Amino acid sequence: MNVLVINGPNLNLLGRRDPAIYGSETLDEIMTDLDKFLTEKGCEAEFFQSNHEGAIIDRIHAAIGTADGIIVNAGAYTHYSYAIRDAIEAVGIPTVEVHLSDIHSREPFRAVSVIEPVCIAQVSALGRQSYFVGAEILLAKLQNND
Ligand code: DQA
């Protein structure tokens, strides 16, 4: 299984960005552990972070024929990027949406995810664990192929 992990805008600042909300770990630290986790599950993982909507869309397109599944934290694009939503839908690759914070108990604009309808699951509020729970859900889906 090949899994693509995408992190969107401002997630490169994890560790210094609002630690009370996002924790004190860096993105690299979390992704290093996620890589180990996915490798232990027999997967090959690729990691991509960008602050640019078009770059994220291009990376989703490039996943056609190479990735079996996608884990995405689209950051603030989650709440309004119909273009990222359409890209996920267009490639047809099973995708799990993850968030560190509880997007449902913060500002009202964060409670809306425009990508949720095209993802197989949304995992939020678990801190770094959201990525790992998201990975479990994705792998279960890919292994059952249902
Ligand atoms: C986030 C939640 C978003 O609302 C926010 O814009 C982010 C991070 C999260 O992981 O909790 O950048 O996706």
Side-chain angles (χ1 to χ4, degrees):
M1 298 286 181
N2 291 303
V3 175
L4 171 64
V5 183
I6 297 176
N7 282 289
N10 300 307
L11 291 162
N12 55 310
L13 293 184
L14 286 183
R16 70 172 295 149
R17 176 191 180 197
D18 261 330
I21 293 176
Y22 297 115
S24 53
E25 278 185 294
T26 65
L27 186 62
D28 267 1
E29 287 167 339
I30 301 172
M31 292 304 114
T32 297
D33 286 352
L34 185 60
D35 192 22
K36 280 186 204 144
F37 178 84
L38 287 167
T39 302
E40 277 163 20
K41 300 272 181 190
C43 297
E44 298 222 351
E46 279 194 75
F47 295 84
F48 179 77
Q49 190 278 327
S50 177
N51 297 318
H52 304 278
E53 186 178 28
I56 293 169
I57 292 164
D58 287 344
R59 189 63 192 87
I60 293 169
H61 293 178
I64 295 172
T66 63
D68 300 297
I70 298 174
I71 297 167
V72 62
N73 184 346
Y77 285 138
T78 302
H79 314 301
Y80 65 93
S81 177
Y82 296 113
I84 290 177
R85 179 218 177 277
D86 283 355
I88 294 168
E89 184 176 46
V91 299
I93 299 169
T95 298
V96 174
E97 169 192 1
V98 300
H99 302 282
L100 295 148
S101 66
D102 183 357
I103 60 170
H104 298 286
S105 71
R106 298 180 61 194
E107 302 96 322
F109 76 85
R110 293 189 203 274
V112 176
S113 167
V114 301
I115 69 172
E116 184 178 17
V118 294
C119 291
I120 60 171
Q122 179 192 81
V123 184
S124 126
L126 303 178
R128 71 182 336 254
Q129 272 304 109
S130 292
Y131 288 93
F132 297 82
V133 172
E136 295 272 19
I137 293 169
L138 182 65
L139 295 187
K141 169 81 180 176
L142 295 178
Q143 278 150 10
N144 294 332
N145 201 22
D146 61 3

PDB file of all heavy atoms in Angstrom, residues 68-80:
ATOM      1  N   ASP A  68      -2.430   4.635  -3.002  1.00  0.00           N
ATOM      2  CA  ASP A  68      -3.664   3.865  -2.785  1.00  0.00           C
ATOM      3  C   ASP A  68      -4.615   4.623  -1.866  1.00  0.00           C
ATOM      4  O   ASP A  68      -5.818   4.375  -1.869  1.00  0.00           O
ATOM      5  CB  ASP A  68      -3.329   2.510  -2.146  1.00  0.00           C
ATOM      6  CG  ASP A  68      -2.406   1.699  -3.042  1.00  0.00           C
ATOM      7  OD1 ASP A  68      -2.838   1.360  -4.159  1.00  0.00           O
ATOM      8  OD2 ASP A  68      -1.254   1.436  -2.640  1.00  0.00           O
ATOM      9  N   GLY A  69      -4.055   5.491  -1.047  1.00  0.00           N
ATOM     10  CA  GLY A  69      -4.873   6.239  -0.110  1.00  0.00           C
ATOM     11  C   GLY A  69      -4.184   7.527   0.294  1.00  0.00           C
ATOM     12  O   GLY A  69      -2.956   7.659   0.152  1.00  0.00           O
ATOM     13  N   ILE A  70      -4.978   8.462   0.766  1.00  0.00           N
ATOM     14  CA  ILE A  70      -4.454   9.777   1.159  1.00  0.00           C
ATOM     15  C   ILE A  70      -4.944  10.111   2.564  1.00  0.00           C
ATOM     16  O   ILE A  70      -6.109   9.854   2.900  1.00  0.00           O
ATOM     17  CB  ILE A  70      -4.928  10.877   0.169  1.00  0.00           C
ATOM     18  CG1 ILE A  70      -4.408  10.599  -1.250  1.00  0.00           C
ATOM     19  CG2 ILE A  70      -4.492  12.269   0.641  1.00  0.00           C
ATOM     20  CD1 ILE A  70      -4.954  11.557  -2.322  1.00  0.00           C
ATOM     21  N   ILE A  71      -4.048  10.673   3.360  1.00  0.00           N
ATOM     22  CA  ILE A  71      -4.414  11.274   4.644  1.00  0.00           C
ATOM     23  C   ILE A  71      -4.154  12.770   4.476  1.00  0.00           C
ATOM     24  O   ILE A  71      -3.043  13.159   4.092  1.00  0.00           O
ATOM     25  CB  ILE A  71      -3.544  10.714   5.789  1.00  0.00           C
ATOM     26  CG1 ILE A  71      -3.778   9.211   5.944  1.00  0.00           C
ATOM     27  CG2 ILE A  71      -3.828  11.456   7.107  1.00  0.00           C
ATOM     28  CD1 ILE A  71      -2.743   8.518   6.823  1.00  0.00           C
ATOM     29  N   VAL A  72      -5.160  13.591   4.730  1.00  0.00           N
ATOM     30  CA  VAL A  72      -4.976  15.028   4.500  1.00  0.00           C
ATOM     31  C   VAL A  72      -5.417  15.857   5.693  1.00  0.00           C
ATOM     32  O   VAL A  72      -6.502  15.665   6.235  1.00  0.00           O
ATOM     33  CB  VAL A  72      -5.712  15.499   3.210  1.00  0.00           C
ATOM     34  CG1 VAL A  72      -7.210  15.294   3.289  1.00  0.00           C
ATOM     35  CG2 VAL A  72      -5.399  16.962   2.890  1.00  0.00           C
ATOM     36  N   ASN A  73      -4.526  16.742   6.108  1.00  0.00           N
ATOM     37  CA  ASN A  73      -4.906  17.841   6.997  1.00  0.00           C
ATOM     38  C   ASN A  73      -4.766  19.091   6.148  1.00  0.00           C
ATOM     39  O   ASN A  73      -3.656  19.596   5.930  1.00  0.00           O
ATOM     40  CB  ASN A  73      -3.997  17.916   8.230  1.00  0.00           C
ATOM     41  CG  ASN A  73      -4.463  19.005   9.195  1.00  0.00           C
ATOM     42  OD1 ASN A  73      -5.277  19.854   8.844  1.00  0.00           O
ATOM     43  ND2 ASN A  73      -3.922  18.995  10.401  1.00  0.00           N
ATOM     44  N   ALA A  74      -5.879  19.569   5.652  1.00  0.00           N
ATOM     45  CA  ALA A  74      -5.851  20.700   4.717  1.00  0.00           C
ATOM     46  C   ALA A  74      -5.784  22.044   5.435  1.00  0.00           C
ATOM     47  O   ALA A  74      -5.876  23.095   4.787  1.00  0.00           O
ATOM     48  CB  ALA A  74      -7.062  20.638   3.789  1.00  0.00           C
ATOM     49  N   GLY A  75      -5.629  22.027   6.759  1.00  0.00           N
ATOM     50  CA  GLY A  75      -5.559  23.287   7.500  1.00  0.00           C
ATOM     51  C   GLY A  75      -6.793  24.117   7.216  1.00  0.00           C
ATOM     52  O   GLY A  75      -7.902  23.596   7.063  1.00  0.00           O
ATOM     53  N   ALA A  76      -6.606  25.428   7.125  1.00  0.00           N
ATOM     54  CA  ALA A  76      -7.761  26.316   6.928  1.00  0.00           C
ATOM     55  C   ALA A  76      -8.451  26.091   5.587  1.00  0.00           C
ATOM     56  O   ALA A  76      -9.639  26.410   5.439  1.00  0.00           O
ATOM     57  CB  ALA A  76      -7.331  27.774   7.066  1.00  0.00           C
ATOM     58  N   TYR A  77      -7.735  25.511   4.606  1.00  0.00           N
ATOM     59  CA  TYR A  77      -8.407  25.223   3.328  1.00  0.00           C
ATOM     60  C   TYR A  77      -9.576  24.265   3.504  1.00  0.00           C
ATOM     61  O   TYR A  77     -10.502  24.251   2.683  1.00  0.00           O
ATOM     62  CB  TYR A  77      -7.417  24.618   2.321  1.00  0.00           C
ATOM     63  CG  TYR A  77      -6.452  25.598   1.717  1.00  0.00           C
ATOM     64  CD1 TYR A  77      -5.109  25.259   1.549  1.00  0.00           C
ATOM     65  CD2 TYR A  77      -6.877  26.843   1.270  1.00  0.00           C
ATOM     66  CE1 TYR A  77      -4.209  26.142   0.988  1.00  0.00           C
ATOM     67  CE2 TYR A  77      -5.984  27.739   0.697  1.00  0.00           C
ATOM     68  CZ  TYR A  77      -4.643  27.376   0.557  1.00  0.00           C
ATOM     69  OH  TYR A  77      -3.762  28.252  -0.014  1.00  0.00           O
ATOM     70  N   THR A  78      -9.513  23.479   4.565  1.00  0.00           N
ATOM     71  CA  THR A  78     -10.619  22.566   4.894  1.00  0.00           C
ATOM     72  C   THR A  78     -11.963  23.264   4.814  1.00  0.00           C
ATOM     73  O   THR A  78     -12.954  22.672   4.381  1.00  0.00           O
ATOM     74  CB  THR A  78     -10.446  22.075   6.362  1.00  0.00           C
ATOM     75  OG1 THR A  78      -9.187  21.445   6.482  1.00  0.00           O
ATOM     76  CG2 THR A  78     -11.569  21.149   6.785  1.00  0.00           C
ATOM     77  N   HIS A  79     -11.971  24.513   5.271  1.00  0.00           N
ATOM     78  CA  HIS A  79     -13.239  25.194   5.504  1.00  0.00           C
ATOM     79  C   HIS A  79     -13.793  25.916   4.285  1.00  0.00           C
ATOM     80  O   HIS A  79     -14.946  26.338   4.303  1.00  0.00           O
ATOM     81  CB  HIS A  79     -13.080  26.178   6.672  1.00  0.00           C
ATOM     82  CG  HIS A  79     -12.354  25.566   7.849  1.00  0.00           C
ATOM     83  ND1 HIS A  79     -12.826  24.450   8.487  1.00  0.00           N
ATOM     84  CD2 HIS A  79     -11.169  25.886   8.457  1.00  0.00           C
ATOM     85  CE1 HIS A  79     -11.968  24.117   9.466  1.00  0.00           C
ATOM     86  NE2 HIS A  79     -10.955  24.973   9.457  1.00  0.00           N
ATOM     87  N   TYR A  80     -12.960  26.060   3.237  1.00  0.00           N
ATOM     88  CA  TYR A  80     -13.497  26.816   2.090  1.00  0.00           C
ATOM     89  C   TYR A  80     -12.931  26.456   0.732  1.00  0.00           C
ATOM     90  O   TYR A  80     -13.370  27.036  -0.267  1.00  0.00           O
ATOM     91  CB  TYR A  80     -13.310  28.322   2.314  1.00  0.00           C
ATOM     92  CG  TYR A  80     -11.861  28.769   2.366  1.00  0.00           C
ATOM     93  CD1 TYR A  80     -11.215  29.214   1.213  1.00  0.00           C
ATOM     94  CD2 TYR A  80     -11.149  28.729   3.546  1.00  0.00           C
ATOM     95  CE1 TYR A  80      -9.896  29.620   1.258  1.00  0.00           C
ATOM     96  CE2 TYR A  80      -9.820  29.131   3.589  1.00  0.00           C
ATOM     97  CZ  TYR A  80      -9.206  29.570   2.438  1.00  0.00           C
ATOM     98  OH  TYR A  80      -7.894  29.952   2.473  1.00  0.00           O
TER      99      TYR A  80
END
